[in-house]
Amino acid sequence: MNSFGQRLKALRKEAGVSQSFVADHIGVSTQSVSNWECDNTMPDISQIVPLAALLSVSTDYLLGVGTNEYADKGELENKVKEVWATYSVNSTENNADLLVYELYKKYLNKYPLDYAIKVKCAFAIQDYLHVVRVRKKFDIPEERFDELWLECDRMLRSVCDNCTLPEVQIDAENHLIDLLLLKKMFEQAGAVAMKLPDLCGIRDKALCKIAQAKGDSATACEKAESTSKHLILCNQFFKRRNHVVHIRKCFGNAILFLQFGEGTRKVFNNSEI
């Protein structure tokens, strides 16, 4: 964030509260909070501590001082790599997914607006639940399963609602679909899929996955074929422009097409796929 006001607004939205809610708890007018977020004025020094406490961040993070996010993220990723190299996701003792989740969670306590890390944290939980429910490597109490499922759901929806980076948002929506499918919530998963861009096969891939989970082989085949055709066209599109396409599992980098705007959409809409 470039300013105190931008950081405050993002943290308030992340907390899911209104300006009037903040104003009531800090003891100021809603207009005062609006002025803070617009960088017209700053809170009084006596208001910083309760404001940080309300938003569940440190005063240093709220003020944008005393932190080195770049260095902390580098240290985090090194620790995560060490966990993946040392431990397994198939074990109940020192489970790699849970160890990584704890590392990410500790980092997010300090940097709650790092949505890319929040998606990775949520995925660690989702993968752990997948190992339990789908791969059936071990059992956990149902209450613990539901507790982790709800935490993962909350984190992913936070990213979907607040993140402005398309690639990160698409990652979150795809993981949210996988999470919903763990509980066979097909209708909710379909609603999330329809929010995905209808471009580069991104939406069709998600709909294919949902159809497979429902046992609808006809729809799954149809969406898989459509996804394949889109990806072929994606590669042809970029080859003509001397670009390289890196298609990840969730087609996150295929979002590059969105940056070409309506001109790119017309290329796809006028094609035969």
Side-chain angles (χ1 to χ4, degrees):
M1 294 296 162
N2 295 322
S3 70
F4 172 82
Q6 289 175 313
R7 185 179 295 103
L8 174 60
K9 183 176 181 179
L11 287 169
R12 177 180 62 75
K13 291 180 67 177
E14 170 69 15
V17 298
S18 65
Q19 288 183 340
S20 60
F21 180 90
V22 174
D24 289 343
H25 281 72
I26 303 301
V28 297
S29 67
T30 302
Q31 185 60 48
S32 293
V33 177
S34 177
N35 283 331
W36 296 344
E37 293 185 356
C38 293
D39 289 309
N40 293 329
T41 59
M42 284 285 290
D44 184 86
I45 189 66
S46 64
Q47 296 164 333
I48 295 297
V49 172
L51 191 56
L54 177 64
L55 299 174
S56 301
V57 296
S58 68
T59 54
D60 281 351
Y61 185 78
L62 179 62
L63 294 170
V65 299
T67 58
N68 189 337
E69 189 168 353
Y70 182 80
D72 288 346
K73 183 179 288 187
E75 182 181 354
L76 168 68
E77 295 297 358
N78 287 335
K79 289 180 179 178
V80 168
K81 288 178 183 178
E82 184 178 347
V83 169
W84 288 130
T86 307
Y87 301 104
S88 168
V89 301
N90 297 321
S91 170
T92 55
E93 186 176 353
N94 291 323
N95 180 273
D97 280 324
L98 291 185
L99 291 173
V100 165
Y101 155 68
E102 292 295 342
L103 288 172
Y104 284 140
K105 189 174 180 180
K106 182 178 180 181
Y107 174 90
L108 288 169
N109 286 336
K110 190 174 184 180
Y111 302 107
L113 297 179
D114 192 328
Y115 293 116
I117 294 297
K118 183 167 286 190
V119 171
K120 291 182 178 182
C121 184
F123 174 71
I125 303 176
Q126 179 204 315
D127 191 58
Y128 178 77
L129 298 179
H130 179 85
V131 171
V132 172
R133 182 61 54 90
V134 179
R135 297 177 60 198
K136 301 184 184 300
K137 292 294 183 178
F138 49 84
D139 292 322
I140 61 174
E142 194 64 26
E143 293 102 353
R144 178 58 172 163
F145 184 96
D146 289 340
E147 176 188 349
L148 289 171
W149 191 96
L150 287 171
E151 182 173 4
C152 186
D153 180 78
R154 178 186 59 79
M155 285 196 288
L156 291 172
R157 291 186 187 278
S158 167
V159 178
C160 293
D161 292 342
N162 298 308
C163 182
T164 58
L165 296 174
E167 181 177 344
V168 176
Q169 190 174 45
I170 288 173
D171 276 352
E173 287 168 340
N174 274 289
H175 290 318
L176 180 56
I177 290 169
D178 289 335
L179 184 71
L180 292 166
L181 291 180
L182 284 177
K183 288 199 170 189
K184 302 186 184 301
M185 301 170 72
F186 302 123
E187 185 175 345
Q188 294 91 327
V192 175
M194 294 308 295
K195 294 179 182 179
L196 290 165
D198 188 16
L199 198 62
C200 313
I202 295 172
R203 183 187 296 174
D204 280 345
K205 177 179 181 290
L207 292 173
C208 174
K209 179 166 47 182
I210 295 168
Q212 285 179 317
K214 291 170 66 176
D216 184 353
S217 57
T219 300
C221 289
E222 175 191 342
K223 296 302 179 182
E225 183 178 359
S226 176
T227 300
S228 177
K229 289 181 177 179
H230 273 92
L231 292 180
I232 290 171
L233 185 59
C234 285
N235 280 287
Q236 292 173 345
F237 182 88
F238 270 85
K239 283 177 181 177
R240 291 198 299 270
R241 288 154 179 79
N242 297 317
H243 290 289
V244 177
V245 181
H246 301 286
I247 307 278
R248 301 188 319 184
K249 179 181 177 182
C250 64
F251 302 121
N253 287 334
I255 198 61
L256 288 170
F257 278 89
L258 296 179
Q259 298 172 0
F260 283 82
E262 289 304 313
T264 305
R265 289 184 179 273
K266 290 176 183 177
V267 171
F268 284 91
N269 291 338
N270 292 333
S271 70
E272 296 180 355
I273 67 173

